[in-house]
Amino acid sequence: MKHLLKMSDLTAKEITGILNLADQLKYDRKHGIPHTYLQGKTLGMIFQKASTRTRVSFEVGMYQLGGSALFLSSHDLQIGRGEPIEDTARVLSRYLDGIMIRTYKQQEVEDLARFGSVPVINGLTDYAHPCQVLADLMTVREHKGALEGLKFCYVGDGNNMANSLIAGCLTMGMKVSIACPKGFEPAHDVLEAAKKHGDMFHLTHNIYEAADEADVVYTDVWASMGQESEAITRRKAFKGYQVNDDLLKVAAHDVMVLHCLPAHRGEEITAEVIDEHGEIYDQAENRLHAQKAVLVTLMK
């Protein structure tokens, strides 16, 4: 494993290794055990999309690992003014020990890894969000004890989260059921790969069918960053695709609910469901531990 670009690049063994290390780093942090594995190392963090959790978790994570993190917005880089990404990748590789990028196009992440000589981490693109899914898998394993054989239900937009969750959950032996409106399905290549898993994967437009006996129910905002102009149209399309108490009645009796946050309470999920399911905040915390595990795996 040289980079973290998308979940479909990872094997079950690699994901398990990251989750095991994340568990250990979380234990060390809770018990005050030093784990400065990246002493003297520097991570460059490129943000072309704003973020709360991504910036804070990576910056704090590098500090806890003994290293440092450098925030680089689109205003700080020539990449936003026409410099070829191959030049940016080659130059930054001379200064940094690793690069995390949160941007729009997946190809930018792939090109950074292709032309640079240091590890590249995808902090989010319009296509994939592998860091979040590693935290999600960590959280499910904490609460359920194992991943293989669980039924995972995702309700909402077939966006970067859906793409990454499908790949990650199927790789770990989970059954995956996706419910989304017509025209808002996950990426074609993701669906084609998922079909190879046979009856382990199911795509439907019926949320109750998707959530039936599900061990985990997951949702995300209806309009992601950059889609604000489509918000009204999307609210109409996604009406009825809400995670609420009625939907959870058809799920497993001990169902856990996840949301990658930020949430629009009253839209994709009710306030009552969020407040009743503290695992959503465990999930948010685990971004820190899972990303630290990725950093150590790639940069130690």
Side-chain angles (χ1 to χ4, degrees):
M1 180 178 169
K2 296 180 179 179
H3 308 283
L4 177 61
L5 307 181
K6 54 186 183 294
M7 287 303 299
S8 57
D9 292 337
L10 302 181
T11 65
K13 182 177 180 181
E14 287 172 331
I15 293 173
T16 300
I18 292 171
L19 298 185
N20 290 343
L21 179 55
D23 288 343
Q24 183 61 53
L25 292 172
K26 184 173 184 177
Y27 177 89
D28 291 348
R29 175 63 183 166
K30 299 294 184 183
H31 292 82
I33 301 171
H35 47 280
T36 54
Y37 299 118
L38 298 184
Q39 189 77 42
K41 299 289 182 74
T42 302
L43 175 73
M45 306 187 303
I46 300 174
F47 282 88
Q48 294 182 331
K49 276 189 174 185
S51 171
T52 299
R53 278 155 290 276
T54 299
R55 179 175 179 180
V56 173
S57 55
F58 269 109
E59 204 161 315
V60 170
M62 280 299 293
Y63 174 80
Q64 292 177 0
L65 291 168
S68 59
L70 178 65
F71 174 79
L72 300 166
S73 73
S74 57
H75 302 293
D76 300 318
L77 296 169
Q78 295 298 327
I79 192 173
R81 302 182 182 91
E83 180 176 42
I85 197 164
E86 53 263 41
D87 291 343
T88 299
R90 288 165 179 153
V91 171
L92 290 181
S93 294
R94 301 292 183 100
Y95 302 146
L96 303 167
D97 301 292
I99 298 171
M100 186 284 299
I101 179 169
R102 182 179 172 94
T103 187
Y104 293 90
K105 297 180 180 179
Q106 178 70 20
Q107 192 59 49
E108 291 187 6
V109 179
E110 304 282 345
D111 286 345
L112 270 179
R114 176 185 174 193
F115 294 109
S117 56
V118 297
V120 172
I121 299 169
N122 181 352
L124 176 142
T125 66
D126 289 345
Y127 176 80
H129 199 354
C131 290
Q132 178 64 61
V133 172
L134 289 170
D136 299 339
L137 293 174
M138 178 183 180
T139 308
V140 174
R141 197 172 72 159
E142 278 183 345
H143 283 260
K144 297 294 186 180
L147 296 173
E148 188 173 3
L150 295 178
K151 180 178 177 180
F152 187 98
C153 166
Y154 175 89
V155 175
D157 188 19
N159 57 13
N160 49 7
M161 282 309 312
N163 293 337
S164 297
L165 286 165
I166 291 169
C169 292
L170 287 175
T171 297
M172 297 309 292
M174 302 171 74
K175 298 178 182 178
V176 178
S177 186
I178 303 291
C180 56
K182 291 182 179 179
F184 294 90
E185 292 85 0
H188 177 73
D189 64 310
V190 173
L191 293 180
E192 288 301 304
K195 290 177 182 177
K196 297 177 182 178
H197 291 264
D199 60 5
M200 295 290 285
F201 177 74
H202 180 58
L203 176 65
T204 179
H205 302 302
N206 186 316
I207 65 172
Y208 292 95
E209 180 182 335
D212 184 45
E213 293 300 319
D215 300 290
V216 184
V217 172
Y218 197 116
T219 191
D220 191 11
V221 294
W222 293 339
S224 300
M225 192 176 299
Q227 297 174 327
E228 290 82 2
S229 62
E230 307 170 26
I232 295 176
T233 301
R234 283 176 164 266
R235 286 191 187 100
K236 292 180 180 178
F238 285 92
K239 185 178 180 180
Y241 284 79
Q242 184 186 73
V243 174
N244 52 37
D245 287 333
D246 283 341
L247 180 66
L248 297 183
K249 288 177 182 177
V250 306
H253 72 280
D254 58 347
V255 64
M256 62 185 295
V257 177
L258 297 179
H259 191 306
C260 52
L261 300 179
H264 293 168
R265 292 175 175 230
E267 288 192 3
E268 74 276 2
I269 190 169
T270 62
E272 292 77 15
V273 169
I274 289 180
D275 292 336
E276 290 169 3
H277 290 269
E279 57 264 31
I280 290 175
Y281 299 103
D282 295 336
Q283 174 191 10
E285 177 190 341
N286 284 341
R287 280 288 298 277
L288 172 65
H289 309 300
Q291 287 168 185
K292 283 168 67 176
V294 171
L295 291 167
V296 172
T297 299
L298 293 178
M299 294 174 59
K300 185 177 178 182

